Amino acid sequence: KKDIPVANFIMHEIHCRRNIEVCRYCSELIPKTEMKNHIESEHVQVTCKCRMKIEKCLLTDHEVSACPLRPAVCQYCDIQLTFNKLQDHEIYCGARTERCGACGRNIMVKDLKEHPPVCG
């Protein structure tokens, strides 16, 4: 899967056929002597903390972007909680009120950013 000088191509192809395999799961080129270890270390099924079964090589991406138990931060109070609880928390948290120091009105936290232009 790489450019090889024509003069070396036949020897290179013989070497690759004898020593390299394409992983049936990820299509990576793996030395034949390391294939068993590659499959056991990268493609074994593991269980995430959310109880989803996933290939080990995909676990990190899942934990960062798809896991419902990944850490998330509330946009209003900066508290860290799990992603699956974020929406309910932000609805509650954004509905809290704080007194505006300029006009004295109670403003919902979710509206504080838009309040200064209409304050007073």
Side-chain angles (χ1 to χ4, degrees):
K1 295 189 175 185
K2 293 183 181 176
D3 290 334
I4 304 296
V6 174
N8 299 343
F9 185 78
I10 292 174
M11 290 302 294
H12 177 85
E13 187 175 38
I14 291 168
H15 172 79
C16 279
R17 285 181 190 262
R18 185 175 295 150
N19 298 301
I20 306 292
E21 279 186 81
V22 177
C23 176
R24 65 182 180 262
Y25 299 106
C26 66
S27 300
E28 292 276 329
L29 299 173
I30 309 293
K32 285 183 179 184
T33 58
E34 297 175 22
M35 184 58 75
K36 183 180 177 191
N37 183 49
H38 168 78
I39 290 172
E40 289 173 356
S41 66
E42 296 296 318
H43 301 295
V44 67
Q45 291 283 314
V46 294
T47 304
C48 177
K49 58 189 169 192
C50 69
R51 297 190 177 135
M52 180 178 175
K53 291 196 181 299
I54 191 167
E55 281 187 33
K56 187 176 180 181
C57 63
L58 302 174
L59 183 62
T60 301
D61 286 340
H62 168 77
E63 289 175 331
V64 170
S65 62
C67 181
L69 299 179
R70 68 187 182 272
V73 177
C74 173
Q75 63 179 314
Y76 304 119
C77 69
D78 293 327
I79 190 173
Q80 184 172 318
L81 53 157
T82 58
F83 182 80
N84 62 346
K85 295 181 180 177
L86 180 65
Q87 186 176 12
D88 289 341
H89 171 82
E90 284 186 338
I91 290 168
Y92 165 79
C93 194
R96 293 179 300 116
T97 60
E98 289 185 7
R99 185 173 299 278
C100 174
C103 70
R105 290 178 35 208
N106 285 326
I107 310 298
M108 283 201 289
V109 173
K110 69 178 182 173
D111 297 329
L112 283 175
K113 290 178 182 166
E114 291 83 34
H115 178 68
V118 297
C119 183

